[in-house]
Amino acid sequence: MTCVRCGEKRMARTLHTLRRTIAGCAFVADVGVDACTRCRHLHVPASVLLAFDRGIAAELARHGPVSGVTFRFIRRAIPLQPIEVSRMLSVPLETITRWELGRRAIDRASWLVVATVALEDFERPAPLLPRIDALRDPVRSECIVGVEGPQPGRTLREVLALATGPVASTDTDIAETLDVSPAAVRGLFEQLAAAGLVRKAEVHASGAIRWEPCATRGTSLEEDACAIGMDLDATLSPQPPPPPSPPPREERPAPSSSRAAT
């Protein structure tokens, strides 16, 4: 690993305390991270920060408090876009926005639904959200049931969810979190940048780039990506395996030479 601040390659393992306060509740977690031996800059992986946020969201979903602030935090940790929550709850998008900004008292039943979806997503496969979605579909006379099949790969939708999530992540962080090819993730952002949807917000010394969405017309980055024809459900190339280490070279003693006595 290379330090993004000074370029030093030597790191030392250290214990770091993550702290965050949400709706007056303080949350802490002790995690092991790498620290630069030269400038002491801490390198906290994006996957650790995401896990911390999901842990906070799980605690809020179990114990509250019920408020627009906690509703927004839980929603973003799942992650769900506001338009997805609006469709799921059959509530206008403007109402979701007013709840999260504290301009309107949040509906307790709606808060509990999102909290339940979050807990099921964090702890086991989430059956509630698909059931809610299914209620909006017309009854079908025939349904194809899948018996078994390979697990789907990571998709462009997951990349965009991490890029617009609560944690500021570079393209390298996102590739590491999803275990996909860094070149594939970088190519995705370059394609979005060419369409004017994202821009480079920060370039680290290691070459990692943090991208941020450009100003949009009130739509999400996912909707803008769909509008330019990108398939958000297309799978990404997996992380290439590390090259095999060369076999150890067998050292043989050099043959001794002797000179015949005359």
Side-chain angles (χ1 to χ4, degrees):
M1 177 184 291
T2 302
C3 179
V4 298
R5 177 177 292 177
C6 68
E8 174 64 46
K9 294 185 177 180
R10 291 176 300 171
M11 298 286 161
R13 201 66 177 171
T14 186
L15 192 65
H16 177 61
T17 301
L18 298 175
R19 301 179 185 275
R20 194 154 192 178
T21 301
I22 306 294
C25 302
F27 299 90
V28 296
D30 292 328
V31 296
V33 298
D34 291 323
C36 175
T37 56
R38 180 190 298 174
C39 68
R40 305 306 300 169
H41 177 68
L42 297 177
H43 294 261
V44 184
S47 56
V48 172
L49 296 175
L50 287 170
F52 182 47
D53 278 352
R54 285 170 72 87
I56 294 173
E59 284 299 309
L60 292 173
R62 292 187 192 99
H63 307 295
V66 176
S67 70
V69 173
T70 58
F71 181 88
R72 180 174 183 268
F73 191 90
I74 294 170
R75 171 186 66 76
R76 297 186 69 184
I78 297 177
L80 285 174
Q81 295 293 332
I83 188 65
E84 295 177 288
V85 178
S86 171
R87 293 168 181 165
M88 179 180 72
L89 300 175
S90 297
V91 172
L93 182 59
E94 293 78 8
T95 300
I96 302 293
T97 302
R98 292 190 182 103
W99 284 348
E100 296 188 350
L101 295 178
R103 296 174 181 171
R104 182 173 179 177
I106 191 167
D107 177 65
R108 187 178 182 86
S110 298
W111 189 97
L112 288 172
V113 169
V114 172
T116 301
V117 170
L119 286 176
E120 292 184 339
D121 180 63
F122 299 155
E123 298 172 354
R124 58 187 179 275
L128 180 59
L129 185 56
R131 291 204 305 272
I132 294 174
D133 288 336
L135 292 175
R136 294 198 306 268
D137 296 334
V139 177
R140 292 170 291 178
S141 59
E142 183 180 16
C143 179
I144 300 175
V145 178
V147 176
E148 152 181 315
Q151 293 294 322
R154 297 298 194 173
T155 64
L156 305 186
R157 191 183 304 276
E158 293 178 274
V159 173
L160 298 183
L162 289 176
T164 55
V167 179
S169 304
T170 66
D171 47 18
T172 303
D173 293 332
I174 293 173
E176 180 182 345
T177 300
L178 299 179
D179 195 24
V180 296
S181 167
V185 175
R186 179 72 57 85
L188 165 64
F189 282 112
E190 289 175 347
Q191 190 176 351
L192 292 170
L197 300 183
V198 300
R199 60 173 174 266
K200 293 180 181 179
E202 184 179 4
V203 180
H204 294 176
S206 62
I209 302 174
R210 184 171 65 83
W211 305 79
E212 66 180 16
C214 299
T216 64
R217 300 174 300 277
T219 56
S220 68
L221 183 56
E222 288 188 8
E223 292 172 319
D224 289 338
C226 285
I228 64 172
M230 297 184 72
D231 182 6
L232 298 187
D233 295 319
T235 56
L236 297 173
S237 304
Q239 182 80 262
S245 56
R249 187 176 61 180
E250 182 179 355
E251 296 185 0
R252 299 180 179 178
S256 58
S257 59
S258 60
R259 179 178 298 177
T262 56

